[in-house]
Amino acid sequence: MTLSFLFPPKKLMSVFILITVLLMGFVCSLYGQSEFSLRVNDVWNLFVSYDESNINQQIILSLRLPRSLTAAVIGFNLGIAGLLMQGLTRNPLASPTLFAISSGAACLTALNSLTVASIGGLSNEAVAFVGALTGGGLVFLLGGGLSSNQNALRLILAGIAINGLLTSLTRAVLIIADDMAYSLLHWLSGSLSGIDWSSWSQLWPLSLLGLFIATSTCRGLNLNALGEQTAASLGVNVTWLRIRICLAVLILTSISVTVAGPIAFVGLIAPHLARAWCGSNHFMLLPAAGLSGAALVCWADLVSRNIIPPAETPVGIITALIGTPFFIYLILKGKR
Amino acid sequence: MSRYNKILAISFVLLIILSVISLSLGVKSLTLETVFNTVINGGDEDFIINQYRLPRIIISILVGIGLAVSGVLTQGIIRNPLASPDLMGISGGAGLFACSSLLIWPEVHSALLPLIAILGGFSAAFLIWLLNHFNHPSPARLALVGIAVSAFLTSCINFILVLHPVEMNSAMIWLTGSLWGRNWDYIWPLLPWLIILVPFSFYLAWSLDLSALGEETATSLGVNTECLQVLALSSAVALASVSVAVCGTIGFVGLLAPHLARLLVGPRHKLILPIAALTGALLVLSADTLSRNLAPPLEMPAGVLTAVLGAPYFIFLLYRYKGW
């Protein structure tokens, strides 16, 4: 009974459709737009009859597969991070980009990887985590997150200001470190070029950890939607819930930024898409938001490679071009 | 001397001192004596002083004046403390048009550039006006819409820069605003616009004071409010756009300068305008001086420095803002 209550067949159908869309984007990005003439057949053969001497299969295996997998996982991470943030703050505009979490992570990562003295000898992941924490924390403090009369718009406006500040600082760091750092500008708007299996092995363990924590908060988030006091009276430890959510958001965002830079607005769009299809139950929303995010980044990556074929457009620019009109729509809609 | 005249004199003197300092500092630092000699007589350092630093200083002053006056007009009409040309997406529109015309048709005439930028600024303003007209968002929401529009336009600029890769410093001009490589050639397209529009905004100052009392009161006191709104906003858009056409979207100057001026001399626009213009010039000039001298010979974009200053101030404004 619980199972069909938590996962109604109709909603499962939409998740199924999402998976199909994702898979289509995934497969297309495996063979589409290449200097070599890759075909769907090659993708199929790679999985069915693997041939070590086939150059096309080797290209797909060593270049395309890690990139597509990374795109999907990053999209999944960002979608879930956005969903958790929107669930926690009950603010439809909350997302890693707008709360400066991504740009905080990006800023400290840039500092760490470019300056001579790296920060305390920490690894990139740890530095990104600290940066994400700093960015998000600053926004929350300065946006009046602690005061009694919280205001959604104020938080968002503060987030945008901090975001602008951190992005400017990152640019300054990049310029001082290396004035020929044009490729780093690409990284700054989120780019999937230069992804290989090592980035994948860097990405998946922490993503899995974040996903695990995120899953554990679903029940709490469902109750939190009724209001914090109701949730508390229904036996949710609200403080503990918040800590877990923040932890999950920070882990998921910072690992994504470490690998591919701050890919904008995925965390804002994906949860809204998921909510439109799958209602308000977080047990359904979590996979749906993740899958929408993954599909979004996969398709955006495909588009970004197709615009000027030999060169690559940073995928973050494509998602920003889609995301900002959607953002405007959300702001205007929110009034009613 | 009244307090107002004192403030005016002090900011004017500050501007001159800063200009002199800016002339002498750089990759090659010169003594004040050499600076004065070169400005008057030319000589060995003629290129550095008269062809490189002096035009940049004049452009930063002009751009600062343009952005600040534009900010005063915008805030005066919209009566929203969070409004400014760059936060409303107007700078973004101007930047997008100027940047794409320069990158797609590199041979475009420099006198046309301000016109193209103004076209862009008006398109962005029209977009905001449409959204405002059909949706009537609250002031804070309107600010957010403006920021979102300008984020969209910035990502368009980003996109165009990827399609037409240019050298890092030129890219920075359009992404954050910078005075890199600006010389005498860029002053002439800018100057006539400022000479016409800045006095015109002084002419509007009195009506702006009245319109601050509310639309109905202003009308009953003989102000044609609709006409005033159109005139003031158009000059604001034009001023911001021509500034952007020369040195990109230097952020937060149009927001900061009017606020600082209001803090110093109170709410009357006739008094605010000169102080705001001087403050804006000071802001851009000091940002540019710093940007040349922080890590020579590398250049930081001036827009990065104004953002470092402006973003915290914006948050401070959010703190004080009560109209949620």
Side-chain angles (χ1 to χ4, degrees), chain A residues 298-312:
Chain A
C298 268
W299 282 105
D301 184 37
L302 193 60
V303 172
S304 78
R305 273 184 292 175
N306 273 293
I307 287 176
I308 23 169
E312 295 199 5

Side-chain angles (χ1 to χ4, degrees), chain A residues 151 171-172 179 324 331 335, chain B residues 135-136 141 152 176 298 324:
Chain A
N151 185 294
R171 280 194 183 134
D179 63 329
T324 36
I331 300 166
K335 192 189 70 160
Chain B
N135 205 277
H136 299 295
R141 218 170 266 278
F152 175 72
T176 59
L298 286 183
W324 297 111

Side-chain angles (χ1 to χ4, degrees), chain A residues 93 141-144 149 151 153-162 164-165 168-169 171-182 185-186 189 265 307-308 311-314 316-318 320-322 324-325 327-328 330-336, chain B residues 82 127 131 134-138 140-145 147-149 151-156 158-159 161-169 171-172 175-176 252 294-295 298-301 303-305 307-309 311-312 314-315 318-321 324:
Chain A
L93 297 176
L141 285 178
L142 297 174
N149 58 339
N151 185 294
L153 287 181
R154 188 171 171 184
L155 262 179
I156 296 294
L157 283 170
I160 289 170
I162 302 268
L165 178 67
S168 296
L169 282 178
R171 280 194 183 134
V173 171
L174 294 183
I175 292 169
I176 290 185
D178 179 4
D179 63 329
M180 305 314 249
Y182 206 80
L185 266 187
H186 280 200
S189 47
F265 289 104
I307 287 176
I308 23 169
E312 295 199 5
T313 321
I317 294 182
I318 306 291
L321 284 175
I322 306 169
T324 36
F327 178 43
I328 297 173
L330 284 179
I331 300 166
L332 293 175
K333 195 187 77 161
K335 192 189 70 160
R336 300 203 180 102
Chain B
L82 304 177
L127 185 64
L131 293 173
F134 290 112
N135 205 277
H136 299 295
S138 67
R141 218 170 266 278
L142 181 65
L144 204 49
V145 172
I147 291 172
V149 169
F152 175 72
L153 294 168
T154 312
S155 44
C156 290
N158 223 331
F159 184 69
L161 284 174
V162 171
L163 292 185
H164 302 265
V166 288
E167 192 258 343
M168 177 85 160
N169 278 317
M172 274 303 165
L175 284 174
T176 59
F252 292 105
L294 270 182
L298 286 183
E299 274 214 18
M300 302 268 278
V304 164
L305 295 166
V308 169
L309 204 65
F314 183 72
I315 290 169
L318 289 179
Y319 248 127
R320 296 205 320 179
Y321 184 60
W324 297 111

